[in-house]
Amino acid sequence: MKLIFLGPPGAGKGTVAAQGVAICQVPHISTGAIFRSVIATMSPLGDKVKTIIEAGKLVDDETTVRLVKERLAQADAQKGYILDGFPRTIFQAEALAGFSAVDRVINFDIPDATVLERLLGRRVCRKCGTNFHISFNKPKQAGSCDACGGELFIREDDQEGAIRKRLEVYRLQTLPLIAYYQHQGLLVTIDAQGSVDAVMDRFKQTLGIQ
Ligand code: AP5
């Protein structure tokens, strides 16, 4: 199964994808996570990507497409994938169509107010990347990851100014993908509000899984 997760920042794409891996038996491929690992290399490209992400803007299409193409060529992605956060522009969608045919695009529908509430309360494990929330998905021990004990931190782009910029960029550059995939008959929209369990149930329903 080759799935794309489309939706604004904070819609819960990463959270559903992390659980969806076991259900769909395919890897979770997040362009945000790929870029954060590029930043960790402290290379010139990493420095450039860091500046872009912290400003809430998009990394250029050519770099993004190149990294995704390389990732999808790896052995574990041959049986399928959950692509989280890619494509985000029509250019990226057209490039993807040239090297992989997706089965379905899940569009996570959510109002801005909920996005802000979710992202302002998000905490991420520095070691394994697991997401938590200070109210909705609390770690057992404050500041520490349930999965690996790593330190939890606030992403630089989860500051209110950067979140608002990301929402603006989403509307300008990513929203047109809804009509693009609708036109191809691939789009399914799910209500991304409510608890993680409720959203997971809606996700499973779209795949015909009980
Ligand atoms: P990326 O890391 O992909 O960020 P994003 O798309 O903005 O998405 P988020 O990770 O913020 O949110 P999410 O929808 O995954 O929500 P989550 O599950 O974490 O990208 C970062 C940056 O990289 C971009 O801004 C851009 O610069 C660059 N980039 C990435 N892809 C690119 C591309 N294709 N082209 C160019 N540049 C690109 O949930 C959020 C919070 O809510 C968590 O705390 C979670 O615990 C909580 N939560 C989740 N679901 C629920 C629920 N149902 N109820 C209550 N709380 C919930």
Side-chain angles (χ1 to χ4, degrees):
M1 170 100 30
K2 295 176 177 170
L3 298 176
I4 288 174
F5 281 8
L6 187 67
K13 305 180 296 294
T15 300
V16 173
Q19 294 193 29
V21 163
I23 296 166
C24 304
Q25 299 286 308
V26 292
H28 169 200
I29 299 176
S30 152
T31 35
I34 290 174
F35 287 135
R36 284 184 284 279
S37 60
V38 170
I39 292 172
T41 63
M42 294 194 284
S43 60
L45 176 62
D47 292 346
K48 185 178 136 192
V49 167
K50 184 173 190 286
T51 308
I52 294 169
I53 288 188
E54 289 181 3
K57 297 178 185 166
L58 292 186
V59 178
D60 67 275
D61 283 334
E62 288 74 15
T63 303
T64 307
V65 168
R66 179 174 58 79
L67 292 172
V68 171
K69 196 172 179 186
E70 283 170 14
R71 180 63 187 87
L72 293 194
Q74 289 175 17
D76 66 334
Q78 300 317 303
K79 57 185 175 180
Y81 48 74
I82 297 176
L83 258 184
D84 164 13
F86 180 93
R88 283 190 204 220
T89 64
I90 295 287
F91 180 99
Q92 293 178 11
E94 287 177 345
L96 175 66
F99 55 85
S100 191
V102 299
D103 297 311
R104 211 164 299 176
V105 178
I106 314 286
N107 174 40
F108 288 66
D109 186 36
I110 193 156
D112 287 2
T114 311
V115 163
L116 275 160
E117 195 180 22
R118 287 189 184 174
L119 293 185
L120 289 171
R122 173 162 61 184
R123 299 293 181 270
V124 184
C125 175
R126 211 177 273 289
K127 239 162 110 185
C128 73
T130 300
N131 280 325
F132 296 89
H133 191 281
I134 52 168
S135 309
F136 309 131
N137 182 18
K138 291 183 188 175
K140 290 190 185 102
Q141 197 185 324
S144 163
C145 176
D146 291 356
C148 73
E151 180 205 0
L152 302 186
F153 77 107
I154 300 174
R155 273 170 47 172
E156 281 295 331
D157 59 346
D158 282 347
Q159 309 296 334
E160 186 165 346
I163 297 170
R164 291 197 186 279
K165 179 68 189 172
R166 286 157 70 197
L167 282 167
E168 187 189 318
V169 167
Y170 167 76
R171 267 187 273 282
L172 277 172
Q173 297 186 256
T174 309
L175 206 59
L177 289 176
I178 292 179
Y180 176 88
Y181 283 120
Q182 207 156 29
H183 184 68
Q184 295 181 20
L186 294 173
L187 193 89
V188 185
T189 294
I190 62 170
D191 177 3
Q193 293 186 88
S195 68
V196 174
D197 287 349
V199 180
M200 277 311 297
D201 284 345
R202 287 175 212 136
F203 169 65
K204 286 193 257 181
Q205 272 169 21
T206 67
L207 301 183
I209 300 166
Q210 291 313 308

